[in-house]
Amino acid sequence: MVEIEVGTGPLALADVVAVARDGARVRLTAGAEAAIAASRAHIDALAAAGEGPYGVATGFGALSTRSIPREERSRLQHSLIRSHAAGNGPLVEDEVVRAMLLLRLRTLASGHSGVRLSTARAYADLLNSGLVPLVHEYGSLGCSGDLAPLAHCALTLIGEGEVRDGGVVRPAADALAAHGLAPVTLAEKEGLALINGTDGMLGMLVLALSDLGALADLADLAAAMSVEGQLSTDRVFAEDLMALRPQVGQATSAANLRRFLAGSPIVASHRVGDGVVQDAYSLRCTPQVHGSLRDALGYAATLAERELASAIDNPSVLDDGRVESHGNFHGAPIAHVLDFLAIGVADVASISERRTDRFLDVARNRGLPPFLADDPGIDSGLMIAQYTQAGIVSTLKRLAVPASVDSIPTSALQEDHVSMGWAAARKLRTAVDGLARVLAIEVLTAARGIELRAPLRPGAATGAAIAVLRETVPGPGPDRFLAPEIEAAYRLVADGSVLAAAVQATDGDPGVRRDDVPLPVIPGSTRDLESAPKENS
């Protein structure tokens, strides 16, 4: 079993994915334990002196003017957790909750939160137990971070609320006992330290980066299949043309397109004298649109890495013993990039839908049957698959509306500007899944279009992708129940099978991602993809 060390330094993006998705265990390093103990010594000294700073000997938020006597401070911390565990609605995915737990532990390990070492160890034990606190969809405004979601996690630590234990929901107290864990009785500052962070929105950003890195490559493959199946040219992706506009993401996408189209007999068959002056924007401008998504992903990854090196809490215990309040918990930096990525996802999905639609229109598909139907008029072919794709794209456009520009004041105007980062993260998760479904329908459609070009054959990469698809989804033929085939294509896209086959066919390397290529998404260029007055404009 993989074990991730949680120390005073940053976590890697891959560490978060390993713990959240793959069940990796965690271990506090000796350095982290020393830093935790040192910061707690400062809190203990302040607590023993009687009056203390915010979070140690005061109420919270708009109630921070009240001084709390020492004998009531443990009750104060427990009351904080119980009152803030006010989430509602559907349950959040287990991988998101595990990411939150890990990221909160990382902040505790930094030595700037002032919790006891026993509490930090108990948090690590909770994560390693496999128990998953029940966290709800609604409750966080991203103001002092993700208060409500983190409070539901902390509620489990004190033996209250409910958890998922091996797929079964049960009371936290019973589950802790079954796993040999004891509830924690919180001391000064600890309740606040367990909930004051941006861990939910950051965890979802990291998971989205992992998914979108792969989907960016898959989008290039889907586009290559469309270029091939629609008898388009690959000349527009030439390296010297891309160098005229030195955008990193654009160059990467163009390189992928060249790679996936290399050696294609279909492309070679019409390279000279086919009478087409220019392809439509949705084909010709693929590297520019896909590449913009990649560039946005690169920026988002840089920001996420900075956050993974951050200690998000308030107040923070400084190395010299001062306990200072500040605003580092505000989620704006994360919220903005989450919204940025949602815009990019919507645009990549939009251009994919336009490429798909061209396959189905007999006036534009260069000799293929209407809707790629077996017997047009009796059969409808893939007509309604494009409807489904268009419906998803429309949803993604709505999800691209930024959440981070909204703010609803809370806590008697003490928290009068909030980030809405949690909401931005939740809608991005929906958008990422939608993009995978849109690309799956393009792959499904392009595969049929390519096969209808027989006896012309596809290239090695696109042919390998089609072969994987055909293991589950039959090829062209009379109409049949289409929904299961779309879902099967989606599964093959989501689990990486289609992309891995194409890459394996090009260079024998099943992993298309490389460390020296920046994580690649899209600024919000809203281009009218049907604006050209005629086909060759």
Side-chain angles (χ1 to χ4, degrees), residues 83-141:
S83 64
H84 283 53
N88 190 248
L91 294 178
V92 170
E93 303 83 5
D94 287 1
E95 67 177 19
V96 173
V97 179
R98 286 186 58 81
M100 290 171 59
L101 292 170
L102 172 64
L103 296 175
R104 183 76 329 225
L105 181 64
R106 203 223 75 78
T107 282
L108 301 182
S110 71
H112 295 293
S113 284
V115 300
R116 293 166 299 166
L117 180 56
S118 60
T119 299
R121 286 173 172 168
Y123 209 83
D125 291 341
L126 172 61
L127 188 52
N128 287 335
S129 73
L131 298 176
V132 181
L134 299 191
V135 175
H136 297 270
E137 178 81 15
Y138 305 114
S140 175
L141 300 179

Side-chain angles (χ1 to χ4, degrees), residues 76-241:
L76 169 70
Q77 302 300 318
H78 288 81
S79 293
L80 177 71
I81 300 302
R82 292 167 183 146
S83 64
H84 283 53
N88 190 248
L91 294 178
V92 170
E93 303 83 5
D94 287 1
E95 67 177 19
V96 173
V97 179
R98 286 186 58 81
M100 290 171 59
L101 292 170
L102 172 64
L103 296 175
R104 183 76 329 225
L105 181 64
R106 203 223 75 78
T107 282
L108 301 182
S110 71
H112 295 293
S113 284
V115 300
R116 293 166 299 166
L117 180 56
S118 60
T119 299
R121 286 173 172 168
Y123 209 83
D125 291 341
L126 172 61
L127 188 52
N128 287 335
S129 73
L131 298 176
V132 181
L134 299 191
V135 175
H136 297 270
E137 178 81 15
Y138 305 114
S140 175
L141 300 179
C143 43
S144 295
D146 296 314
L147 292 173
L150 286 167
H152 280 275
C153 296
L155 199 64
T156 297
L157 195 69
I158 65 174
E160 299 181 20
E162 294 181 314
V163 300
R164 186 176 289 110
D165 183 5
V168 177
V169 174
R170 60 192 303 200
D174 296 344
L176 289 175
H179 285 262
L181 304 177
V184 172
T185 299
L186 301 175
E188 296 94 339
K189 177 67 171 66
E190 291 189 319
L192 193 59
L194 293 175
I195 69 173
N196 214 316
T198 53
D199 307 307
M201 63 184 89
L202 176 58
M204 286 185 274
L205 173 59
V206 173
L207 293 171
L209 287 170
S210 177
D211 293 335
L212 287 172
L215 285 178
D217 292 324
L218 190 280
D220 293 338
L221 174 61
M225 294 174 71
S226 290
V227 166
E228 195 172 43
Q230 293 178 38
L231 303 182
S232 300
T233 182
D234 61 348
R235 293 191 300 272
V236 295
F237 311 135
E239 189 172 4
D240 54 358
L241 292 176

Side-chain angles (χ1 to χ4, degrees), residues 32 54 75 87 114 116 149 168 175 207 225 274 308 356 390 446 517 529 536:
Y54 174 75
R75 185 163 73 93
R116 293 166 299 166
V168 177
L207 293 171
M225 294 174 71
D274 69 353
L308 291 174
T356 301
V517 176
L529 299 177
N536 294 331

Side-chain angles (χ1 to χ4, degrees), residues 189-417:
K189 177 67 171 66
E190 291 189 319
L192 193 59
L194 293 175
I195 69 173
N196 214 316
T198 53
D199 307 307
M201 63 184 89
L202 176 58
M204 286 185 274
L205 173 59
V206 173
L207 293 171
L209 287 170
S210 177
D211 293 335
L212 287 172
L215 285 178
D217 292 324
L218 190 280
D220 293 338
L221 174 61
M225 294 174 71
S226 290
V227 166
E228 195 172 43
Q230 293 178 38
L231 303 182
S232 300
T233 182
D234 61 348
R235 293 191 300 272
V236 295
F237 311 135
E239 189 172 4
D240 54 358
L241 292 176
M242 296 301 101
L244 298 175
R245 190 187 197 184
Q247 295 287 356
V248 174
Q250 175 179 319
T252 302
S253 282
N256 270 347
L257 285 160
R258 295 193 301 271
R259 178 188 190 190
F260 292 139
L261 290 168
S264 167
I266 296 180
V267 171
S269 72
H270 62 94
R271 195 179 297 279
V272 178
D274 69 353
V276 177
V277 178
Q278 290 182 326
D279 292 320
Y281 285 9
S282 58
L283 297 161
R284 194 188 344 156
C285 301
T286 289
Q288 289 75 19
V289 176
H290 290 192
S292 185
L293 171 60
R294 290 178 177 276
D295 289 335
L297 277 171
Y299 169 64
T302 297
L303 183 136
E305 288 167 348
R306 292 174 188 154
E307 290 292 311
L308 291 174
S310 302
I312 304 298
D313 199 351
N314 183 53
S316 292
V317 183
L318 302 182
D319 293 340
D320 61 7
R322 287 180 295 130
V323 179
E324 297 283 0
S325 292
H326 52 78
N328 281 346
F329 52 76
H330 199 284
I334 305 171
H336 291 171
V337 296
L338 288 163
D339 282 335
F340 192 10
L341 294 179
I343 292 170
V345 164
D347 204 18
V348 169
S350 176
I351 199 172
S352 171
E353 183 274 329
R354 289 292 81 202
R355 290 191 298 260
T356 301
D357 182 68
R358 299 185 68 81
F359 271 112
L360 308 180
D361 183 357
V362 70
R364 295 180 291 153
N365 66 18
R366 302 188 66 187
L368 295 172
F371 303 105
L372 306 185
D374 186 66
D375 185 3
I378 297 295
D379 293 321
S380 296
L382 298 181
M383 177 193 295
I384 307 304
Q386 185 264 333
Y387 285 34
T388 299
Q389 194 185 42
I392 297 170
V393 169
S394 181
T395 296
L396 298 189
K397 290 176 181 178
R398 295 193 297 274
L399 292 172
V401 175
S404 58
V405 298
D406 189 20
S407 178
I408 298 179
T410 57
S411 193
L413 292 182
Q414 177 70 7
E415 298 169 2
D416 59 354
H417 184 275

